[in-house]
Amino acid sequence: MERQRLDKWLWHARVVKARTSAAALVEAGHVRINGVRETAPGHSVKAGDVLTIGLDRSVRVLRIKGFSERRGDAPAARVLYDDLQGPRE
């Protein structure tokens, strides 16, 4: 798999708890792909894209490393991205 829908990737990477929440996050304009705001949940992302995600009380910056066919547990989700912010406090 070379590309995946943005909302599906956010859900598989466990950034949000539900796919509908991922779609709402994108539609609200809280996600940027390579510095450009994206409002379409169906936008395709590819390996190497950098996502800036504005969550409730934080901002996460993630580089996409890979994709998954289905949503797995937390350790499986962590291999899908590099956290560019380093360790969180």
Side-chain angles (χ1 to χ4, degrees), residues 1-2 11 16 27 31 33-34 37 43 58 63 69 76 87:
M1 185 182 319
E2 292 180 17
W11 182 55
V16 293
E27 288 172 349
V31 178
I33 302 173
N34 300 321
R37 187 178 311 270
H43 185 86
S58 65
R63 178 180 293 122
E69 291 289 330

Side-chain angles (χ1 to χ4, degrees), residues 15 35 39:
V15 175
T39 57

Side-chain angles (χ1 to χ4, degrees), residues 43 46 82:
H43 185 86
K46 63 184 182 311
D82 285 326

Side-chain angles (χ1 to χ4, degrees), residues 12-13 36 63 78 80 84:
H12 286 183
V36 179
R63 178 180 293 122
R78 280 194 286 276
L80 300 180
L84 300 181

Side-chain angles (χ1 to χ4, degrees), residues 3-87:
R3 292 183 172 268
Q4 191 169 42
R5 285 177 58 105
L6 176 57
D7 60 344
K8 201 169 186 178
W9 188 88
L10 290 169
W11 182 55
H12 286 183
R14 293 189 166 264
V15 175
V16 293
K17 291 184 180 182
R19 188 164 167 195
T20 55
S21 299
L25 187 71
V26 176
E27 288 172 349
H30 296 295
V31 178
R32 293 176 183 261
I33 302 173
N34 300 321
V36 179
R37 187 178 311 270
E38 184 55 57
T39 57
H43 185 86
S44 293
V45 292
K46 63 184 182 311
D49 283 347
V50 176
L51 303 181
T52 306
I53 307 154
L55 299 169
D56 287 338
R57 293 186 176 97
S58 65
V59 174
R60 295 189 70 188
V61 181
L62 309 174
R63 178 180 293 122
I64 298 174
K65 286 183 9 181
F67 305 101
S68 175
E69 291 289 330
R70 37 192 339 200
R71 189 173 197 235
D73 57 2
R78 280 194 286 276
V79 302
L80 300 180
Y81 61 86
D82 285 326
D83 192 340
L84 300 181
Q85 293 174 297

